[in-house]
């Protein structure tokens, strides 16, 4: 399993939200590029970078993320506001190793499949769950769809992975939603990367034991609950 540090960027700064709530924000770093380089030097081989402003349609941190991609020296997957083929190709041209599509993946799975066919194993689909339903548009809206319907619509797509986020656990340090993870793993043949609630190395190990291909690490790393090196070692074990 792969340990993937996350950097959520809003107004040019590294922040964390609780339950995806923009009114419950904590700032951790003024320089996302420096933090990305630190994570890479500590042993991370892939970073998950989210432009929160673009995700919510409230602006863009593109210039910052482009600098981060150029400086990190490791694979960077970009999420937030990636909704069209031109968005995908612009990020790939800027050096991103992959992109994560959420709103488009849920609302227009045919377009997702078409883009993934054009760029196989580069595009990931975000399955952001709030109370068991997929949330879109920066987690501000919930779609009336069940898991099996969404995952079935992605079955034929040449995805890099399905990125499963438990919004109910996100930023809470209350442990992973293993029930949701196991359910998603049972419903898809795609690689599944998990995010949400990770607070300890034991949580990382539990996600690995459940069968995830990767784990995205945000608040726990920023709060110093464990180091990147410890997370990488836990995944390797």
């Amino acid at each position: 399993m792969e340990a993937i540090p996350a950097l959520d960027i809003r107004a040019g700064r590294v922040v964390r939200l609780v339950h995806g709530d923009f009114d419950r924000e904590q700032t951790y770093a003024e320089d996302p590029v420096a933090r990305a380089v630190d994570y890479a030097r500590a042993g991370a081989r892939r970073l998950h970078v989210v432009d929160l402003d673009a995700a919510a349609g409230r602006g863009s941190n593109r210039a910052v993320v482009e600098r981060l991609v150029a400086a990190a020296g490791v694979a960077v997957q970009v999420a937030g506001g990636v909704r069209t083929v031109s968005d995908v190709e612009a990020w790939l041209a800027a050096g991103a190793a992959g992109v994560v599509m959420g709103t488009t993946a849920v609302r227009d799975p045919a377009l997702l499949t078409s883009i993934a066919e054009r760029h196989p194993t580069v595009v990931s689909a975000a399955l952001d769950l709030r109370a068991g339903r997929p949330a879109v548009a920066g987690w501000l809206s919930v779609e009336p769809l069940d898991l099996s319907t969404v995952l079935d619509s992605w079955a034929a797509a040449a995805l890099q992975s399905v990125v499963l986020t438990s919004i109910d656990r996100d930023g809470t340090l209350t442990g992973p939603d293993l029930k949701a993870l196991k359910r998603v793993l049972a419903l898809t043949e795609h690689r599944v990367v998990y995010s949400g609630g990770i607070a300890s190395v034991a949580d990382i190990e539990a996600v690995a034991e459940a069968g995830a291909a990767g784990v995205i690490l945000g608040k726990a790393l920023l709060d110093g609950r464990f180091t990147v090196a410890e997370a990488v070692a836990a995944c390797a074990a």
Side-chain angles (χ1 to χ4, degrees), residues 157-210:
L159 300 177
Q160 200 276 337
S161 65
V162 170
V163 178
L164 167 64
T165 299
S166 170
I167 300 172
D168 301 317
R169 305 289 180 99
D170 189 69
T172 66
L173 300 173
T174 55
D177 187 343
L178 297 177
K179 182 178 179 180
L181 173 57
K182 291 175 182 177
R183 185 179 177 202
V184 170
L185 286 166
L187 290 170
T188 183
E189 295 185 3
H190 290 303
R191 299 170 69 254
V192 177
V193 174
Y194 178 81
S195 175
I198 301 296
S200 66
V201 169
D203 288 340
I204 295 173
E205 293 168 344
V207 169
E209 185 176 353

Side-chain angles (χ1 to χ4, degrees), residues 2-6 43-48 74-77 97-98 121-122 160:
E2 186 176 24
I4 308 170
R45 305 311 306 160
R46 177 179 291 268
L47 304 177
H48 179 76
V74 296
V76 177
Q77 62 188 38
T121 69
V122 169
Q160 200 276 337

Side-chain angles (χ1 to χ4, degrees), residues 42-134:
R45 305 311 306 160
R46 177 179 291 268
L47 304 177
H48 179 76
V49 178
V50 184
D51 184 338
L52 291 175
D53 293 306
R58 299 175 176 176
S60 172
N61 294 281
R62 185 176 187 89
V64 175
V65 179
E66 285 182 346
R67 292 200 303 272
L68 188 157
V69 168
V74 296
V76 177
Q77 62 188 38
V78 177
V82 184
R83 291 172 184 156
T84 66
V85 65
S86 61
D87 291 336
V88 171
E89 292 178 348
W91 278 120
L92 296 179
V99 295
V100 183
M101 305 186 77
T103 301
T104 294
V106 173
R107 290 181 171 172
D108 194 349
L111 178 57
L112 171 77
T113 300
S114 174
I115 295 173
E117 181 178 3
R118 189 167 177 171
H119 300 284
T121 69
V122 169
V123 179
S124 293
L127 182 59
D128 302 324
L129 297 183
R130 189 189 296 277
R133 299 289 185 183

